[in-house]
Amino acid sequence: MTVKLSSSNLAKLPAKVAGPKYDRSALKAGIIHFGVGNFHRSHQAVYLDDLFATGQGHDWALIGAGVFEGEKIGRSKLEEQDWLTTVVEQDQGHMSARVTGAMIDFLTPGNAAAIIERLADPAIKIVSLTITEGGYFIDPASGKFNPAHPDIVADAQPGAPPKTVFGIILAGLLRRRADGIVPFTVMSCDNIPHNGHVTSDGVIGLARLIDEDLAKWVEDNVAFPNGMVDRITPATTDRERKILADDFGLEDNWPVFCEPFKQWVLEDHFTAGRPALEKVGVQFVKDVSPYELMKIRILNGGHATIAYPAGLMDIHFVHEGMQEPLVRAFLSKLEHNEIIPTVPPVPNTDLEDYYQLIERRFSNPKIGDTIRRLCLDGSNRQPKFIIPTIADRLKAGKGVAGLALESALWCRYCFGTTDSGAVTEPNDPNWDRMQATAKAAKDDPKAWLAMDDIYGDVGRSPVFAEAFAHALKVLWANGARETLTRYLAGKL
């Protein structure tokens, strides 16, 4: 017999499942969160659940929000179980399940008027975001906010109901300014370098299109703390739902499976107060940049490194990729030779120890993370996780053979078939463009690097262009397995 997750069944949870250690009925909302996906529910919501369990911070509960119609599906799943989520931690020899209750409501995605009404509530002191790398309207080549994006231009029209997350946030701030209420803090929890600055560029950039005085007011009065977040959290499938039901006796519409490790490093910069998250492991620091750069280059860059060769070899799970000696050795060589040397010192952190931790986390056989997830959205991820490292290597006059190979593997993946001839289903918001460019690059590698919005100056570097063209040629002639073998032997 299984128990169906709901508030009324919290007292009947199976013995192996921990429940919230606080009275959910006493919680009051203090945070509105845009982007209620798996990562948010395995990370920020877990930290808040931990804090509430200490008896503190009960006026910092979460309300979900979203801007896309598709988010209504997740909302419906959570509504059926009173906004509760089961979080399952897994690694070798360890699996535990807990029900978290930090979320107490979820506003209808796309209902801008209702969301703005809640944003105007003085009780809401933080608006947080996990809207993915592609949600910030960033021009990939410059890394800056793109005010010419059609959705932003539409939100800037007088009287237009806002459709973007930045438009809705700005409308909420306008209401608070008019009502004389202290503005809320806007806190990004996305994997983006300087995510607080990127978010402020978006909100202030949109405000500038509407009214320069409004932009100045936001700049002077709203806090946008930078933060580094980390926890490997794959998508939920029927596999995870079945494991939860079979091993723990609990039915959850949308459980979250993740690794035991989690990290959150955050600037202590808030306009209207914050929960005491330092009591449950959040590191508050003056400057997040060193931690952020380390994580984005070594972990996220490492994910990109193993993703595309494993994808071309038809490997399904990430831990299976790490069990392939060529993939594991490629990761180690590229990290040690080209990526880690670009990472400046990080307070109280040994970079080699950090790399070893990353290697162990990638090798976790229980997590069920997929190679396809790591390959997803390269057009938005590569300009953040890989191309800046290439730029730093070129600027320093250092070798880029491994990074050029990583780029060539990405290009080859976007062609749309694996080395075995299996078809790769579309796996990028810009898949049609990426595939067409990859096909052109098979005979003319310069076509790939000519995507100026992705590669910028790196694509114009003769040194990189030569290394990339050579790697791509070898890949097409010999396949990923033989190409990696040559690279590892120093014979590429």
Side-chain angles (χ1 to χ4, degrees), residues 273-346:
R274 62 166 178 81
L277 291 166
E278 69 277 9
K279 295 184 184 298
V280 288
V282 177
Q283 296 166 260
F284 284 97
V285 299
K286 285 186 177 177
D287 183 12
V288 174
S289 300
Y291 302 90
E292 188 177 67
L293 190 66
M294 171 183 74
K295 191 256 176 172
I296 281 170
R297 294 204 173 180
I298 299 176
L299 185 143
N300 296 111
H303 264 157
T305 299
I306 64 176
Y308 299 109
L312 291 171
M313 294 178 190
D314 301 298
I315 295 172
H316 183 72
F317 286 114
V318 175
H319 70 273
E320 292 171 339
M322 292 298 286
Q323 288 166 0
E324 164 54 58
L326 290 171
V327 173
R328 192 181 189 102
F330 178 47
L331 173 68
S332 180
K333 183 172 180 177
L334 180 52
E335 289 272 16
H336 288 103
N337 287 9
E338 298 180 29
I339 295 176
I340 294 172
T342 71
V343 178
V346 179

Side-chain angles (χ1 to χ4, degrees), residues 247-447:
D247 291 12
F248 291 95
L250 186 62
E251 288 181 53
D252 184 327
N253 293 321
W254 194 17
V256 176
F257 279 54
C258 56
E259 62 176 338
F261 177 89
K262 66 182 187 298
Q263 187 176 19
W264 193 0
V265 185
L266 192 55
E267 267 179 2
D268 203 351
H269 179 45
F270 293 79
T271 49
R274 62 166 178 81
L277 291 166
E278 69 277 9
K279 295 184 184 298
V280 288
V282 177
Q283 296 166 260
F284 284 97
V285 299
K286 285 186 177 177
D287 183 12
V288 174
S289 300
Y291 302 90
E292 188 177 67
L293 190 66
M294 171 183 74
K295 191 256 176 172
I296 281 170
R297 294 204 173 180
I298 299 176
L299 185 143
N300 296 111
H303 264 157
T305 299
I306 64 176
Y308 299 109
L312 291 171
M313 294 178 190
D314 301 298
I315 295 172
H316 183 72
F317 286 114
V318 175
H319 70 273
E320 292 171 339
M322 292 298 286
Q323 288 166 0
E324 164 54 58
L326 290 171
V327 173
R328 192 181 189 102
F330 178 47
L331 173 68
S332 180
K333 183 172 180 177
L334 180 52
E335 289 272 16
H336 288 103
N337 287 9
E338 298 180 29
I339 295 176
I340 294 172
T342 71
V343 178
V346 179
N348 305 311
T349 305
D350 180 285
L351 293 181
E352 178 57 28
D353 288 349
Y354 183 77
Y355 170 74
Q356 295 296 334
L357 170 66
I358 296 305
E359 201 175 67
R360 289 195 299 275
R361 292 170 63 196
F362 288 3
S363 303
N364 183 344
K366 294 289 188 180
I367 200 65
D369 202 5
T370 64
I371 292 296
R372 181 173 171 81
R373 186 186 80 86
L374 300 196
C375 293
L376 172 70
D377 201 12
S379 62
N380 277 303
R381 291 178 172 181
Q382 291 276 317
K384 299 172 184 70
F385 303 154
I386 290 288
I387 292 167
T389 306
I390 301 170
D392 282 356
R393 294 285 296 177
L394 291 170
K395 188 176 177 183
K398 303 290 188 182
V400 289
L403 289 161
L405 175 54
E406 188 279 339
S407 244
L409 287 158
W410 176 40
C411 173
R412 170 67 187 85
Y413 176 87
C414 290
F415 186 88
T417 57
T418 68
D419 281 348
S420 72
V423 173
T424 302
E425 294 300 319
N427 201 22
D428 193 290
N430 303 302
W431 184 257
D432 289 347
R433 175 200 182 193
M434 305 312 291
Q435 188 171 34
T437 309
K439 286 180 175 178
K442 183 178 180 182
D443 297 318
D444 178 17
K446 292 193 296 296

Side-chain angles (χ1 to χ4, degrees), residues 390-391 393-395 398 400 446 449 455-468:
I390 301 170
R393 294 285 296 177
L394 291 170
K395 188 176 177 183
K398 303 290 188 182
V400 289
K446 292 193 296 296
L449 302 184
Y455 278 96
D457 289 341
V458 164
R460 292 185 283 274
S461 161
V463 171
F464 186 70
E466 182 181 349
F468 171 82

Side-chain angles (χ1 to χ4, degrees), residues 89-142:
E89 295 182 0
Q90 284 189 304
D91 66 6
Q92 189 93 41
H94 165 81
M95 183 162 67
S96 63
R98 64 189 278 192
V99 172
T100 61
M103 176 178 286
I104 58 172
D105 196 5
F106 193 154
L107 304 171
T108 304
N111 187 343
I115 297 171
I116 292 163
E117 195 63 37
R118 289 307 295 263
L119 291 174
D121 180 351
I124 301 302
K125 297 180 172 65
I126 294 173
V127 172
S128 54
L129 311 168
T130 47
I131 54 175
T132 76
E133 297 87 353
Y136 287 81
F137 303 98
I138 303 165
D139 172 57
S142 68

